[in-house]
Each structure stands twice: as structure tokens, then as C-alpha cells.
Amino acid sequence: MNTQDGIALTGKLIISLNDEIVRETENLVVTAGKEWVTARMKDTSTVMTHMGIGTGTTAAAIGNTDLETVIGARLALTTSGGTVAGAVITYACSYPSGAHTGAITEAGIFTAATSGTMLARTVFTVVNKGALDSMTISWAVTIS
């Protein structure tokens, strides 16, 4: 009899500039994020609240706890704690025009505006966000 069951955490980002999808990419759920999920089975008082972006290009690694090269401050998620539908939780964040500009190549989800726990990090091909561009990142994490 097989008594083992596997749970996998996977994620996908969809990045839009000025309401047009410019990038879709997979992410890595890091060790700290997996430990956070495990702790939620006991304590539900801490949720993911912020998203950060940056220009780092080093591949995501299981031991990551922050972005490599942050651009601006982390911004609050559209819905604190994300939106749940079945086994998928979606985090979204909008970066308005005039801020967080540059050659964006990485993103992460966090429990706080500074420090806190990072759930996931991804590195992707460059998305150039100019001063007049607004950008939205929709990030779905699936537990399967």
C-alpha cells in the first residue's frame, strides 16, 4: 500500500504593461516560502502582503530570501493575502506610471513591506518599464 502523498507548489507570473500582456513565466517557490506554507497549517495570522521587483539576473535558487537587485519599495498586493480559488492562490500588484522604472527582470512575493518572508521569486527576460508605463503582475501559485 502506498501511503505517501506529494504536494507541489508551482507558480506562474503574468506581466502586463499598459494593460497588454508582455511576459508569462514560471517561478520557484523557495525554502522559506515552503516553510511559511507549512506554518500556516498551524497559524494563519501572517499572510503575503507585498510584491517587489528588481533588475537581478541570477537564477532563482531554493535558498533565496530576497530579490537580488531591488527597484523601489515593495508595494502592497491588490488583495492582502491573495485571492483563493480551489488549489490556486493569486497575488496581484499594480506598479503605476512614474515609479519603479527600468529593465525589470525579477519579482518576489513577501509577508511585509521590508524584511519578512519571501514566498517565491522568479527571474525572467527583461520587461522595460518606462516612466509613462503602468505595470500589473498577476502571480498564481498552485498547490497540487
Side-chain angles (χ1 to χ4, degrees):
M1 174 166 74
N2 184 357
T3 59
Q4 294 183 345
D5 190 11
I7 295 177
L9 295 174
T10 58
K12 178 180 181 179
L13 274 75
I14 299 173
I15 303 171
S16 300
L17 272 179
N18 306 315
D19 296 321
E20 181 179 332
I21 294 174
V22 294
R23 190 82 64 244
E24 294 186 42
T25 187
E26 304 297 318
N27 78 268
L28 175 67
V29 178
V30 298
T31 300
K34 291 177 181 179
E35 291 170 355
W36 177 84
V37 170
T38 302
R40 298 300 65 80
M41 297 175 109
K42 175 186 163 294
D43 174 20
T44 59
S45 65
T46 304
V47 297
M48 294 294 152
T49 58
H50 288 76
M51 189 178 295
I53 58 174
T55 59
T57 57
T58 303
I62 198 74
N64 289 156
T65 58
D66 204 348
L67 298 176
E68 180 181 3
T69 309
V70 177
I71 289 182
R74 294 177 191 163
L75 294 184
L77 296 173
T78 304
T79 301
S80 182
T83 303
V84 175
V88 178
I89 185 164
T90 301
Y91 302 101
C93 190
S94 294
Y95 294 85
S97 59
H100 296 85
T101 60
I104 311 302
T105 54
E106 64 176 333
I109 303 170
F110 301 89
T111 59
T114 59
S115 299
T117 300
M118 179 168 66
L119 172 65
R121 175 176 178 248
T122 189
V123 176
F124 43 86
T125 56
V126 68
V127 173
N128 289 303
K129 183 181 181 295
L132 299 178
D133 295 323
S134 61
M135 180 175 74
T136 300
I137 298 177
S138 177
W139 195 322
V141 175
T142 302
I143 299 175
S144 60

